[in-house]
């Protein structure tokens, strides 16, 4: 019995349902970057938008290809570096430690996001393979002639 017979919309071959929630989820990484930049610009120097920049690659990991978390992580790294350079926040050893800490944090989160992306993709491929076998088995069973017992 497939999803359509239960009243649920069919799942396309890609494995995800499209619609309002899917579209919203796909815009969240972009929104995180935009809100992070706005936060960096509009708040005092002591506050940072790094958590928002770190959320973008994590959110993109299950939704896009492997390069998307790298792209969003790179955009966050660029935003943090530009912010530190433009605001003059790089003067002094404490500021440099803060910058290194934020960049290292974002690099680690991006690496984790790429790893999660690979795990999700592998599981989706395995599920698609299992689904194909499960859908083919009943057809093969119906096509085989019935077994006759010797008399």
């Amino acid at each position: 019995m497939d999803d359509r017979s239960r009243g649920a919309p069919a799942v396309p071959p890609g494995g995800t349902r499209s619609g309002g929630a899917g579209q919203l989820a796909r815009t969240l990484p972009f929104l995180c970057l935009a809100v992070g930049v706005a936060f960096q610009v509009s708040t005092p120097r002591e506050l940072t938008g790094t958590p928002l920049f770190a959320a973008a690659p994590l959110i993109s990991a299950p939704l896009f290809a492997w390069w998307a978390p790298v792209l969003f992580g790179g955009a966050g790294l660029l935003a943090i570096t530009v912010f530190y350079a433009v605001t003059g926040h790089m003067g002094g050893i404490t500021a440099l430690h803060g910058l290194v800490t934020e960049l290292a944090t974002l690099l680690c989160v991006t690496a984790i996001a790429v790893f999660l992306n690979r795990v999700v993709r592998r599981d989706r491929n395995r599920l698609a393979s299992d689904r194909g076998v499960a859908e083919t088995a009943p057809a093969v069973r119906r096509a085989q002639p019935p077994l006759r017992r010797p008399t």
Side-chain angles (χ1 to χ4, degrees):
M1 180 184 285
D2 68 306
D3 286 343
R4 283 174 278 178
S5 62
R6 288 188 219 122
V11 178
T16 59
R17 298 177 196 268
S18 58
Q23 288 297 93
L24 176 63
R26 289 182 171 275
T27 60
L28 281 177
F30 297 100
L31 188 61
C32 283
L33 289 178
V35 171
V37 168
F39 185 83
Q40 286 282 158
V41 171
S42 65
T43 59
R45 288 191 211 177
E46 296 78 29
L47 300 177
T48 178
T50 301
L52 291 163
F53 297 137
L58 287 173
I59 294 169
S60 71
L63 301 173
F64 298 102
W66 68 268
W67 50 265
V70 173
L71 183 69
F72 286 113
L77 291 170
L78 180 65
I80 291 169
T81 305
V82 168
F83 175 74
Y84 270 79
V86 168
T87 62
H89 205 47
M90 292 175 90
I93 194 75
T94 306
L96 184 58
H97 285 174
L99 174 64
V100 170
T101 301
E102 289 183 23
L103 294 178
T105 299
L106 197 48
L107 280 171
C108 288
V109 168
T110 301
I112 291 168
V114 171
F115 172 74
L116 290 174
N117 176 277
R118 303 313 300 162
V119 169
V120 167
R121 295 287 172 206
R122 185 190 69 223
D123 288 349
R124 281 186 184 161
N125 289 339
R126 187 178 302 144
L127 179 62
S129 174
D130 292 348
R131 184 179 295 134
V133 169
E135 289 172 352
T136 305
V140 170
R141 212 175 296 131
R142 282 191 300 268
Q144 292 178 342
L147 294 175
R148 296 183 185 197
R149 295 186 181 176
T151 55

